[in-house]
Amino acid sequence: MDSKKEIVDRLRLAFRSGITISKDFRYDQLSKLRAMIHDNEEDILNILHKDFAKPKFEASLSEIEMVINELDYAIMNLQGWMEPEYVSTNLATKFDNCFVRREPLGVVLIIGAWNYPLQLVFSPMVAAIAAGNCVIIKPSEVSAAAARLIAELIPKYLSQDCYAVVSGGAEETKALLQNRFDHIFYTGSQIVARSILQAASVHLTPVTLELGGKCPCLIYGSVTIEYAARRLVWAKFFNAGQSCVAPDYVLCSKATYDALLPAMSEILKDFYGEDPQKSPDLCRIVSQQHWTRLTELLKKSNGTVVIGGESDQQDKYIAPTVVNVAEDDALMKEEIFGPILAILIVESMEKAIDIVNQMEKPLALYVFSNEDFVINTVMEKTTSGGFCSNDGIVHMTLPGLPFGGVGASGWGSYHGRWGFETFSHRRGCMMRGWALEKLNGLRYPPYNDNKLSWLRWTASVKRTCLLM
Ligand code: NAD
C-alpha cells in the first residue's frame, strides 16, 4: 500500500501536470462520481443500514439525493463559475482588462464525520473537483462499512492520479496531516478541530471547519402547534438526532409547552408507533461509545424526562426523548447529538434570545411562529451559521444557500457555488497594455501637487461607475 506521503506526492505531480484544469476533465470526473453513486445506490443504502440501521428512506434523501443534487448543480453551473468575473475600472486603467480568475488551490484534504458518512465527504469533493483540485478524502472510521465502501469505489471510478481515499482514525489522520496540503476541509467536533488547526498552522494551510454545537429552536407568539410539533419531531429524530443541524434545545413559554408536549407525543406515535424500538424508521446510535456518552448525559441531567427515556445498550437504542430542563442543566452544557431534546420554559422571547446569545454561535437557529414580528426579531437579534423559520434541517438542502457555521460552529461554507469558491483561489488579474502612458506617467517622480491632484481624480472610485 502507498504511504501517505507517496499518495500526496502522486496527487501533487498530477496537479502540476495541469490535468485537472480543463473544463472537460472536471465534467468527466463529476459525471463519473455521479455514475458511481447511481450504480452503487443499493450497496450504499445497505451499508448505511449496517453501520447504524439508517432507514433507507432517510439515507436516500440525505446521502444519495443531497450528493446527486450537488453534482447536478455543479455540472449545470460549472461553465459560468469558471468564467472570469470582470470588474469596473477607473480612468487610469480604462483600457485594461480587469477580472477575477478562479484558480484551483492544488491538493486538498477532506476529512469527514460519521453521521452522514457519504454526504460529508462527497459534497465537498464535488466542489473541490469542480474547482479543479486534486483531492484526498479521509472518511470517518466510526461508520466503518461506509468508509470501506468509499475506499473501494473511488479508485474504480475516478482518476487515481488525482483522487485518493485514506482510511483510518485519529492516528492515521494525524500522520496524513504532517504532509503539506493547499486546503484542509474538516467536518467534525470542536475538540478535534483544534488539533486540525495546529497541524495546518505548520504549513500555513487554509482551513474550512464544519463543526457543530447546540442548535436552538425558539417557539414564540401564536403558532400552529400541530405543524410545529410535527416538523420539530421530524428534524430532531431524523438520523436519531445525530445531525449537526438537529434542534438541540427548545425555548418556549409555559402555554406553548403545555400544548406542544402532548402534540409531540402523538406525533411520535404516528411516526414510530407505540414502541419506537420496533420501528424500522428510527436509526440507532452509531457506536457503544456514543450510546454510553448519551445515556450518561441523561443520567447527569437534573431535568424531568417528559417523553421517552428508555434505552437498550445491546441494540444501541435510545428512545426519542424529551427532557424539561433548567438553563444550567447538564444537557445544556454540550451538544447532545442524539435522540434527546432539551426543552426550557422561558416566558419571554427577549429572555430566550439572551440565552441563545450567551452561548456559542450556533450552526443553525430555528424559530417557529405564525408571526412575522417574532421571526424577524429572532433573526435580527441573533446570529448563526444558517437560519430557518417554521422548519428544521431543510435550509441545508438548497445548493443556493451557503452551508457552514460562524464562530465556534465553523469557519467557511460550501454547497453549490459556495463550495466552488471555498476550493478556489480568487486571483485578481489586471491585463495592461501600453495605453495612456501620459496619464500613467503622472505617478512618476519628480512628484508635485499638481500631479497628485490629477492622480487622485483619475483613481477616484466615484468616477469608476462611469466606466463600467
Ligand atoms: P470527530 O471530530 O470525532 O471526527 C471527525 C474526523 O476527524 C474523523 O474523520 C476522525 O477520524 C478524525 N479525527 C478524530 N480524532 C482526530 C484527531 N485527534 N486528529 C485528527 N483527526 C481526528 O467528529 P465526529 O464524532 O465524527 O462528528 C461529530 C461532530 O461533527 C459533531 O460535533 C457534529 O455537530 C459535527 N458535524 C458537523 C457537521 C457540519 O456540517 N457542520 C456535519 C456533521 C457533523
Side-chain angles (χ1 to χ4, degrees):
M1 213 168 90
D2 294 344
S3 78
K4 295 176 177 63
K5 183 173 180 318
E6 279 167 358
I7 298 171
V8 178
D9 287 349
R10 184 177 80 230
L11 266 59
R12 193 160 297 286
L13 206 65
F15 182 73
R16 289 199 179 130
S17 77
I19 186 176
T20 59
I21 304 293
S22 81
K23 201 160 31 200
D24 286 349
F25 182 83
R26 303 185 200 191
Y27 273 129
D28 179 57
Q29 296 298 308
L30 290 172
S31 309
K32 286 181 174 149
L33 187 55
R34 197 185 192 289
M36 182 189 95
I37 291 164
H38 182 262
D39 296 351
N40 297 281
E41 183 168 338
E42 209 44 47
D43 280 353
I44 292 172
L45 296 177
N46 286 335
I47 57 107
L48 290 170
H49 197 266
K50 196 168 166 185
D51 268 340
F52 47 133
K54 220 183 239 259
K56 286 192 177 181
F57 186 95
E58 290 188 3
S60 295
L61 283 180
S62 59
E63 300 274 42
I64 305 286
E65 285 316 310
M66 282 282 292
V67 180
I68 291 286
N69 272 339
E70 272 296 314
L71 277 158
D72 288 345
Y73 197 77
I75 290 168
M76 280 182 327
N77 290 290
L78 184 58
Q79 167 110 23
W81 294 344
M82 288 177 70
E83 297 287 339
E85 183 188 337
Y86 286 90
V87 301
S88 51
T89 52
N90 54 27
L91 197 56
T93 53
K94 182 173 162 54
F95 293 112
D96 302 332
N97 267 334
C98 300
F99 55 86
V100 182
R101 182 182 141 88
R102 265 78 182 174
E103 296 185 344
L105 299 169
V107 179
V108 303
L109 171 63
I110 294 170
I111 303 171
W114 53 262
N115 56 332
Y116 295 97
L118 282 90
Q119 187 214 122
L120 296 176
V121 288
F122 289 156
S123 288
M125 189 181 198
V126 169
I129 296 175
N133 298 279
C134 287
V135 188
I136 294 182
I137 56 177
K138 208 303 289 171
S140 170
E141 76 288 6
V142 176
S143 38
R148 273 195 300 277
L149 187 68
I150 292 168
E152 184 192 311
L153 292 180
I154 289 284
K156 278 195 197 157
Y157 282 81
L158 300 190
S159 156
Q160 294 193 34
D161 289 333
C162 301
Y163 312 107
V165 182
V166 169
S167 308
E171 291 317 310
E172 286 78 3
T173 315
K174 283 184 204 163
L176 185 58
L177 283 165
Q178 285 177 4
N179 293 281
R180 175 186 292 276
F181 291 96
D182 298 291
H183 194 88
I184 298 169
F185 186 103
Y186 165 81
T187 302
S189 61
Q190 293 173 348
I191 289 180
V192 173
R194 292 181 173 90
S195 22
I196 304 289
L197 282 179
Q198 271 178 359
S201 71
V202 174
H203 299 291
L204 285 181
T205 304
V207 176
T208 301
L209 298 177
E210 295 285 340
L211 311 178
K214 294 182 79 64
C215 300
C217 178
L218 289 78
I219 310 181
Y220 284 94
S222 79
V223 64
T224 311
I225 285 292
E226 185 199 336
Y227 293 175
R230 191 176 288 144
R231 290 182 183 200
L232 178 62
V233 165
W234 176 79
K236 176 66 198 181
F237 299 109
F238 189 92
N239 214 36
Q242 301 165 108
S243 304
C244 53
V245 284
D248 185 284
Y249 64 102
V250 170
L251 298 160
C252 65
S253 67
K254 175 81 169 67
T256 300
Y257 175 88
D258 287 344
L260 187 67
L261 225 56
M264 285 178 76
S265 290
E266 274 311 300
I267 281 150
L268 277 165
K269 274 185 214 141
D270 288 353
F271 283 8
Y272 307 116
E274 288 292 340
D275 180 0
Q277 192 169 5
K278 295 205 177 104
S279 167
D281 298 331
L282 188 67
C283 187
R284 291 301 182 258
I285 307 305
V286 72
S287 67
Q288 288 293 343
Q289 192 198 339
H290 281 272
W291 183 90
T292 306
R293 179 186 66 79
L294 285 161
T295 46
E296 287 299 316
L297 194 57
L298 209 47
K299 277 187 213 150
K300 272 191 247 160
S301 168
N302 290 323
T304 310
V305 174
V306 284
I307 296 178
E310 305 82 12
S311 58
D312 175 348
Q313 180 162 19
Q314 205 65 26
D315 191 22
K316 288 182 273 172
Y317 168 77
I318 297 178
T321 296
V322 180
V323 191
N324 179 11
V325 300
E327 223 184 303
D328 60 354
D329 194 78
L331 284 172
M332 291 301 288
K333 301 266 185 267
E334 60 183 87
E335 179 183 10
I336 296 174
F337 212 57
I340 302 167
L341 181 69
I343 182 160
L344 283 82
I345 297 172
V346 176
E347 277 313 318
S348 89
M349 176 178 74
E350 283 69 26
K351 171 80 172 103
I353 290 172
D354 280 349
I355 291 174
V356 169
N357 287 339
Q358 276 161 25
M359 298 169 71
E360 296 287 9
K361 294 169 185 168
L363 181 62
L365 189 146
Y366 305 113
V367 52
F368 287 20
S369 182
N370 297 339
E371 296 172 30
D372 289 348
F373 169 77
V374 170
I375 292 169
N376 291 331
T377 305
V378 172
M379 185 164 64
E380 278 161 21
K381 294 196 169 173
T382 59
T383 187
S384 58
F387 178 91
C388 183
S389 70
N390 293 330
D391 215 331
I393 302 188
V394 180
H395 64 293
M396 70 165 294
T397 62
L398 275 191
L401 291 176
F403 178 69
V406 55
S409 59
W411 302 355
S413 58
Y414 70 127
H415 287 186
R417 170 149 203 163
W418 309 97
F420 179 85
E421 293 290 342
T422 287
F423 287 105
S424 298
H425 167 58
R426 287 178 288 279
R427 192 177 189 183
C429 300
M430 181 179 276
M431 310 297 267
R432 302 211 83 185
W434 303 111
L436 300 178
E437 181 54 14
K438 201 150 189 186
L439 188 69
N440 279 291
L442 290 169
R443 65 195 148 140
Y444 303 135
Y447 302 138
N448 60 48
D449 287 349
N450 193 32
K451 280 183 173 181
L452 185 60
S453 65
W454 271 104
L455 265 185
R456 280 185 170 152
W457 190 79
T458 61
S460 166
V461 290
K462 288 192 185 150
R463 266 163 288 279
T464 302
C465 54
L466 300 173
L467 302 172
M468 288 283 283

